[in-house]
Amino acid sequence: MAQKSFRKSQLVAFNNVAAGHDGVLSDRSGAVVVKPCFQAEIDFYNSAAAHPHVAIYLPAFMGTLQLNSDPDVAATVTPTVAATLTPPNQAAEHQAAPAAVSHAPIVEKAWAPSNGGKITTDLAIVLENVAAPFKKPNILDVKLGARLWDDNAPPAKRAKLDKVAEETTSKPLGFRIAGMRTWQGGTAAAADESSSTLSQDGYKLYDKAYGRQFSAGTVRQGFEDYFLLERDAVAKGPVRKVINRFLEDLEALKFVLEQEESRMYSASLLFVYEGNPDALRDAFITEKEEEMATNGVDSGETHEESEDEDEEQRAAVQALKLIDFAHAEWTPGQGRDENLLHGLGSVIKVLNGLVGGT
């Protein structure tokens, strides 16, 4: 089985994080995400192999790293063996199936960033970078749940998180926008929101304060900003297709979780779609040509042209994943996770409104 090694010079700060803890790393190719974590999150990813219909909606779990401050010792990650997972229905057919893991490899050495982060840990989890296939990924992190703490949380933390929920959309809707980044193109105007900034690579960045300003009645505006829609507009054209795909995935994920007994406190939905309009158009065209080829219709391209295209990275349209499992576990006998499902249902309702539904 192939192995992948890392040294300090090969790990870089990961700049596609829409929300979450500091200290997230990647390799220089951007193919993986190295996220500091606690053992509970590793355990959850390991256990997801026994829940294949849920695992489809998780980033591919590639292994773990043992963090330390030694910059000279190489770290080696042994990729896990991918399993073929059958989606529960056709709505999830365009989701990439993640690797199923029975025993994650432990890596003895890796570089830890000197600037630290919000959590203190010697562990990191190595996941696929869901945004890697996209040329200009627009990324949205939606924190799920009205209750954000698990049973082990001390009273002070419970009170703090309950206060956040009360003051945001978390309590009434079961979700809040935790952060996002949207590509504005080469002629992007200066960011005008106090809680957003414009990066040098043309992205508008929205921090956690942005999502906390909304009420249940105004949170649609956050999704309008994510999909680059005018206020109260009904989505049309390619972005409408993107939203409808997200709706298909959300409905399929909701169905799967309704069959499970789990508790996932402070888990998030990760939305990614192609922010470059030309690349998004090309992705739809490529899909149409592949569909025609599957159905035996001549697309007009030669076999040589088709092989050349296969060697290049195919454009992606969108992806939806469930992430952040520091406070997640399977709970047989306790019923489905109504806290999480409440938020999922609310997100579905908002996106339905963007395409003119109810």
Side-chain angles (χ1 to χ4, degrees):
M1 182 180 297
Q3 293 185 330
K4 189 174 183 64
S5 296
F6 297 108
R7 291 184 183 272
K8 179 176 179 178
S9 62
Q10 295 173 319
L11 290 174
V12 296
F14 183 66
N15 66 356
N16 267 343
V17 178
H21 294 296
D22 296 333
V24 179
L25 305 171
S26 181
D27 66 342
R28 291 188 181 278
S29 73
V32 301
V33 174
V34 181
K35 173 193 170 186
C37 69
F38 293 119
Q39 186 62 45
E41 187 156 13
I42 295 171
D43 292 343
F44 185 83
Y45 270 101
N46 267 318
S47 66
H51 303 263
H53 288 164
V54 177
I56 290 172
Y57 295 96
L58 275 53
F61 176 32
M62 304 173 70
T64 63
L65 294 175
Q66 188 73 33
L67 299 175
N68 64 41
S69 59
D70 189 342
D72 299 320
V73 181
T76 303
V77 172
T78 304
T80 55
V81 179
T84 301
L85 303 178
T86 304
N89 55 43
Q90 292 303 311
E93 64 181 359
H94 49 271
Q95 291 285 347
V101 181
S102 57
H103 298 287
I106 302 297
V107 178
E108 295 300 325
K109 304 287 184 180
W111 169 60
S114 60
N115 62 347
K118 295 181 180 178
I119 64 174
T120 302
T121 178
D122 290 328
L123 293 173
I125 193 167
V126 184
L127 305 169
E128 69 163 320
N129 176 11
V130 179
F134 299 85
K135 294 185 177 179
K136 295 295 181 181
N138 286 351
I139 302 172
L140 168 65
D141 184 310
V142 175
K143 184 69 64 178
L144 294 173
R147 172 180 161 176
L148 300 169
W149 44 268
D150 63 21
D151 292 339
N152 296 321
K157 184 173 183 179
R158 297 184 185 196
K160 177 182 178 180
L161 293 177
D162 283 344
K163 185 173 185 292
V164 171
E166 290 280 355
E167 294 174 350
T168 65
T169 58
S170 290
K171 185 64 178 291
L173 297 180
F175 80 84
R176 75 170 183 273
I177 293 174
M180 65 184 187
R181 46 187 287 131
T182 59
W183 191 61
Q184 305 296 302
T187 58
D192 53 5
E193 292 90 350
S194 60
S195 53
S196 69
T197 58
L198 192 66
S199 67
Q200 292 183 347
D201 56 353
Y203 278 90
K204 187 177 285 190
L205 312 178
Y206 300 82
D207 62 16
K208 64 182 180 181
Y210 169 81
R212 293 187 180 191
Q213 70 181 329
F214 294 117
S215 66
T218 62
V219 72
R220 172 190 165 113
Q221 296 174 11
F223 289 89
E224 290 171 344
D225 288 342
Y226 177 58
F227 291 110
L228 307 180
L229 298 173
E230 299 293 333
R231 290 289 179 256
D232 300 320
V234 175
K236 300 182 183 302
V239 73
R240 182 183 181 89
K241 294 180 181 179
V242 169
I243 295 171
N244 280 326
R245 287 200 176 182
F246 278 127
L247 282 167
E248 291 175 1
D249 292 338
L250 287 165
E251 291 283 8
L253 174 59
K254 182 171 178 286
F255 174 82
V256 166
L257 292 175
E258 286 173 342
Q259 320 308 313
E260 296 284 348
E261 294 182 300
S262 63
R263 297 295 181 269
M264 303 181 191
Y265 298 110
S266 284
S268 289
L269 290 170
L270 179 67
F271 293 78
V272 187
Y273 76 93
E274 180 55 64
N276 183 308
D278 293 336
L280 181 61
R281 183 195 65 239
D282 291 345
F284 279 121
I285 292 173
T286 298
E287 286 187 349
K288 184 65 175 178
E289 290 174 345
E290 291 176 346
E291 180 183 352
M292 293 171 63
T294 300
N295 295 331
V297 179
D298 186 1
S299 65
E301 67 176 6
T302 67
H303 178 67
E304 183 177 347
E305 289 173 339
S306 179
E307 286 184 339
D308 290 342
E309 183 178 331
D310 287 339
E311 292 177 358
E312 299 177 359
Q313 184 177 5
R314 291 293 180 86
V317 173
Q318 54 80 234
L320 177 78
K321 296 294 180 180
L322 193 60
I323 62 171
D324 295 342
F325 303 112
H327 309 284
E329 61 180 338
W330 309 103
T331 55
Q334 297 186 32
R336 63 190 196 178
D337 191 346
E338 298 293 351
N339 185 55
L340 194 79
L341 290 169
H342 175 210
L344 263 176
S346 295
V347 173
I348 290 171
K349 184 175 181 179
V350 174
L351 263 61
N352 267 320
L354 296 181
V355 294
T358 57

